[in-house]
Amino acid sequence: MPAERYTEQDVEEILKNQISKEFMYDKPEVILDNESLLIEEEIIDSLGIFVLISFIEEQFHIKINPDEVLLDNFENIDTIKSLVMSKLGSIEA
């Protein structure tokens, strides 16, 4: 069975929904956009990164390698989306 195909917009929406639901339920005053600095703005902490990685791996059927678990890859929605899209692209190749 072929893997589900995701557009960048799909990935972005899924990530925003999950981050809002999982990490921002107690921060209604915070507006999440693609450039929100997730760690710097204390939306996600270091443990939260691993929770998010687990979700991403399950949701998109990809594997994030230990050497990819860098703050630069999880700085904001755009950087996470880029990582996911690069992994999805390597599956299709």
Side-chain angles (χ1 to χ4, degrees):
M1 177 166 63
E4 185 173 345
R5 293 189 183 266
Y6 294 98
T7 65
E8 284 192 32
Q9 187 175 354
D10 294 335
V11 171
E12 182 179 309
E13 188 174 323
I14 290 166
L15 290 171
K16 281 183 176 177
N17 287 340
Q18 180 63 18
I19 289 169
S20 294
K21 183 177 80 175
E22 184 73 28
F23 304 105
M24 298 178 64
Y25 59 88
D26 62 345
K27 298 177 179 124
E29 73 285 356
V30 177
I31 297 172
L32 181 64
D33 63 31
N34 288 19
E35 292 82 32
S36 295
L37 299 174
L38 301 175
I39 295 170
E40 191 174 306
E41 295 177 23
E42 299 180 352
I43 295 170
I44 298 178
D45 60 17
S46 56
L47 180 59
I49 293 293
F50 293 100
V51 171
L52 184 59
I53 288 169
S54 178
F55 168 79
I56 290 169
E57 289 180 335
E58 235 177 83
Q59 174 69 40
F60 298 108
H61 307 285
I62 59 175
K63 175 73 176 140
I64 296 178
N65 300 315
D67 65 336
E68 295 169 315
V69 182
L70 305 170
L71 292 181
D72 287 349
N73 286 335
F74 294 89
E75 183 176 32
N76 57 42
I77 297 290
D78 283 341
T79 58
I80 300 169
K81 178 176 63 174
S82 293
L83 176 62
V84 171
M85 293 305 294
S86 73
K87 297 299 233 169
L88 290 172
S90 67
I91 289 173
E92 294 175 11

